Amino acid sequence: MSWLLRMAWRDTRTARRRLLLYTASITLGVAALVSIHGLGENMREAVRRQSAELLGADLVVRADQPIDEETLRLLAATFGDRRAQEVQFASMILHPRSGASRLVSVRAVEPAFPFYGAFSTQPAGAAEAFRRGEGVLVEENVMLQFGAKPGDELRIGTASLPILGALRSVPGESVGFNLVAPRVYMPLAALDATGLVKKGSRVRYRVHAGADAPAVAEAFRRAHAQALRERGVRIETVETRQARMSRSIGRLESFLGLVAYVALLLGGVGVASGIHVFVRQKLTSIAVLRCVGATVRQTLAIYLIQAAGMGLAGALAGCALGVGLQMAIPLTLGDMLPADFRVRINPPTLVEGLAAGVGITVALALLPLLGVRRVSPLLALRSAVEGARRGWRDPARLAVVAVGAGAVALFAIGQAAKWQHGVGLVAGTAVVFAALATLGRGLMVMARHLALRGAPYVVRQGVANLFRPNNRTLLVVLALGLGAFLVVTMQLTQRSLVRELELSDRGGRSNVVLFDIQDDQREAVR
């Protein structure tokens, strides 16, 4: 083994830069895999660690109408005074000093909210003043839009309330939510003064409750969820919020896992094509090794060690790059995440990246390495000797194809949300692979029979190189075609998903929508 390792290292002496380039192709795939799965695991850990802060309470009940007295009595009997009511509705607000107005989400809450976490405000003391019922907290971007400052008045309906400060974050809600529906928090005691909650108003009601232990809230949900649902009341606990967010993270990770599949598969194809070229250029060296007594198994082992070494080097570099990408997530997207995101290196993810990088590299490199077995010692003396070709009738070649396909299939199934999706992805890739192989073979046949007698020399020479011995036409068509297919597929998938959310580009959309127009108001509205 020590001799094999020394020979594998010495044999790379004249081609280390090119081998490094081949290794880089697997690096990006492993980096994508490690960063995506590491991100998913860190996000799940953040949700587990801060599940109570993400909800702001141990239990929340929601309804689209005032919560009935029976439900309130049940909550009082279980949670005592650790309750805080909230009334939520959309309304225009007015900043009298600037004359600016805007549609916002008004949240009227009792002082006890939130039970976990805290409002992040500027100035910091504004949150405590809000708990004392001294005024309102306004979303930071709305403050900037209005040019408002603490102490200004804000009109909500018929009520004028002082602005205590800018609201930066609320437990359980990310900055992304603010861009859609900026929030204004006001004391529940001042709600009646606005005159906005009356018959016909679109209002949502909540009660937040805190418990001595999460198990108390979960037991309440299991005991009363069905009965409350029949009365139009929905229950959410820390456990259900955690499960819902974990499902969302899982869906995101499954989609991004396909990106890792594409990147790693392309990296494996790049390494395989590079090894094919490398082995073709090493035929004389292989023949010399056979002349001095090296067996077929030893020569094959030397180049297999090189392929595994390339995969290991690329996987190690990819793990380092993937961890670096994880470190950059809080710097770029930290404000968009609802949880306090902390990067932790996850050893199982690194092991998975290393195993996938080395495994995919070796599995896809075995096919070109099989040519080492057919190199005759006579090739050191006569370049015309290459050994007998058995093509696809070679049992070892068929076994290697089966191993490579199995490795790719297992990896795809591991990345997909369902095994059926992974099998479908592999089947589709195989169909495209076969189509590209047919296209490459057809291109070689067409070039061989193409009549170019009157064409310039460079044209005839270039076309002839498509089918002459040692051509790489099929390999290049496969590598470039598969790469283009996978990249375009991911782009089309992304665009189709984004298009579902793009409402402004669809024809027939209204510019203004009026809600809750009563039958007797239609003519007046017109």
Side-chain angles (χ1 to χ4, degrees):
M1 178 57 69
S2 62
W3 180 80
L4 291 175
L5 293 173
R6 287 200 306 272
M7 287 301 300
W9 174 249
R10 289 170 180 171
D11 192 63
T12 64
R13 189 172 298 161
T14 59
R16 286 173 185 166
R17 290 186 179 180
R18 282 184 290 128
L19 294 179
L20 183 62
L21 178 62
Y22 304 149
T23 300
S25 62
I26 206 70
T27 296
L28 298 179
V30 174
L33 179 68
V34 171
S35 60
I36 289 168
H37 287 306
L39 172 64
E41 189 57 38
N42 282 323
M43 290 180 67
R44 277 190 287 269
E45 175 59 29
V47 169
R48 286 192 293 267
R49 189 179 64 251
Q50 305 168 59
S51 54
E53 288 82 353
L54 291 174
L55 192 62
D58 290 296
L59 178 140
V60 177
V61 297
R62 294 180 172 88
D64 295 329
Q65 55 190 358
I67 298 175
D68 59 279
E69 292 296 328
E70 177 62 26
T71 301
L72 293 177
R73 281 196 296 270
L74 282 174
L75 291 170
T78 305
F79 301 101
D81 294 334
R82 296 196 67 189
R83 291 173 293 120
Q85 296 193 50
E86 176 184 348
V87 177
Q88 182 183 136
F89 57 92
S91 175
M92 297 295 293
I93 59 172
L94 173 68
H95 183 233
R97 185 171 61 83
S98 64
S101 61
R102 177 163 180 171
L103 181 67
V104 298
S105 174
V106 178
R107 314 282 185 89
V109 298
E110 291 184 317
F113 177 81
F115 295 100
Y116 301 100
F119 291 117
S120 175
T121 60
Q122 178 61 37
E128 190 59 34
F130 175 76
R131 282 183 175 273
R132 296 193 296 268
E134 297 177 4
V136 298
L137 299 174
V138 182
E139 199 76 61
E140 189 174 28
N141 59 354
V142 177
M143 294 280 286
L144 294 173
Q145 179 185 351
F146 288 174
K149 59 182 186 296
D152 288 356
E153 281 195 349
L154 188 73
R155 287 285 302 276
I156 305 176
T158 57
S160 294
L161 300 168
I163 297 175
L164 300 175
L167 183 64
R168 288 184 168 176
S169 66
V170 178
E173 295 182 5
S174 66
V175 172
F177 184 87
N178 314 347
L179 304 177
V180 179
R183 300 159 296 191
V184 172
Y185 275 83
M186 63 175 293
L188 183 62
L191 180 61
D192 291 341
T194 66
L196 295 175
V197 178
K198 52 189 177 182
K199 183 179 180 180
S201 300
R202 292 179 60 88
V203 181
R204 293 173 179 168
Y205 300 85
R206 295 182 181 182
V207 176
H208 305 265
D212 296 331
V216 175
E218 189 60 25
F220 181 90
R221 183 189 69 83
R222 292 174 180 173
H224 303 290
Q226 183 61 37
L228 294 182
R229 191 180 299 114
E230 294 173 357
R231 298 203 291 264
V233 179
R234 301 175 300 278
I235 301 179
E236 184 175 17
T237 64
V238 170
E239 187 172 322
T240 57
R241 168 65 69 92
Q242 180 176 331
R244 182 162 58 86
M245 295 191 70
S246 295
R247 286 194 298 269
S248 300
I249 294 170
R251 294 190 187 102
L252 175 63
E253 189 176 0
S254 295
F255 174 73
L256 295 179
L258 298 181
V259 178
Y261 165 80
V262 169
L264 200 53
L265 184 58
L266 289 180
V269 171
V271 170
S273 61
I275 288 178
H276 174 83
V277 174
F278 179 69
V279 170
R280 299 295 297 182
Q281 295 172 344
K282 288 289 185 177
L283 291 179
T284 303
S285 299
I286 296 171
V288 171
L289 283 173
R290 296 294 311 281
C291 287
V292 298
T295 64
V296 172
R297 183 176 297 179
Q298 287 173 325
T299 52
L300 180 60
I302 289 172
Y303 292 96
L304 190 60
I305 289 172
Q306 289 179 352
M310 291 167 57
L312 180 60
L316 288 172
C319 287
L321 181 59
V323 172
L325 290 174
Q326 289 184 60
M327 297 292 183
I329 292 294
L331 300 178
T332 55
L333 298 176
D335 289 340
M336 302 298 292
L337 301 174
D340 181 14
F341 187 82
R342 299 176 186 175
V343 177
R344 287 184 170 85
I345 298 177
N346 188 29
T349 300
L350 299 180
V351 172
E352 180 186 7
L354 288 173
V358 176
I360 294 293
T361 300
V362 172
L364 296 181
L366 277 174
L367 195 59
L369 286 178
L370 287 180
V372 173
R373 300 175 306 136
R374 298 192 300 266
V375 176
S376 170
L378 287 176
L379 186 62
L381 302 176
R382 296 188 302 179
S383 60
V385 178
E386 283 195 49
R389 292 178 175 271
R390 300 182 63 183
W392 288 104
R393 291 177 295 176
D394 186 354
R397 192 179 183 89
L398 294 174
V400 165
V401 170
V403 169
V408 173
L410 288 176
F411 179 70
I413 292 172
Q415 302 306 305
K418 298 180 179 179
W419 68 268
Q420 297 94 329
H421 298 168
V423 171
L425 183 63
V426 173
T429 305
V431 169
V432 174
F433 194 89
L436 290 170
T438 303
L439 179 63
R441 290 290 184 186
L443 179 62
M444 294 168 64
V445 172
M446 183 181 67
R448 184 184 295 275
H449 295 92
L450 198 60
L452 296 172
R453 293 178 180 176
Y457 166 75
V458 292
V459 175
R460 289 185 282 112
Q461 183 70 13
V463 172
N465 284 338
L466 293 176
F467 62 86
R468 281 176 173 167
N470 292 328
N471 73 83
R472 303 187 183 104
T473 304
L474 180 60
L475 186 63
V476 171
V477 170
L478 286 174
L480 294 181
L482 188 62
F485 161 71
L486 291 172
V487 170
V488 171
T489 298
M490 291 305 304
Q491 289 179 339
L492 292 176
T493 302
Q494 177 191 3
R495 290 177 183 175
S496 66
L497 292 173
V498 172
R499 196 178 298 119
E500 294 295 324
L501 303 176
E502 292 178 346
L503 304 179
S504 59
D505 294 338
R506 301 180 183 178
R509 292 285 177 179
S510 303
N511 300 99
V512 176
V513 180
L514 304 179
F515 290 96
D516 272 358
I517 305 304
Q518 306 300 312
D519 291 341
D520 59 350
Q521 298 172 336
R522 288 183 180 179
E523 292 304 321
V525 170
R526 288 196 182 100

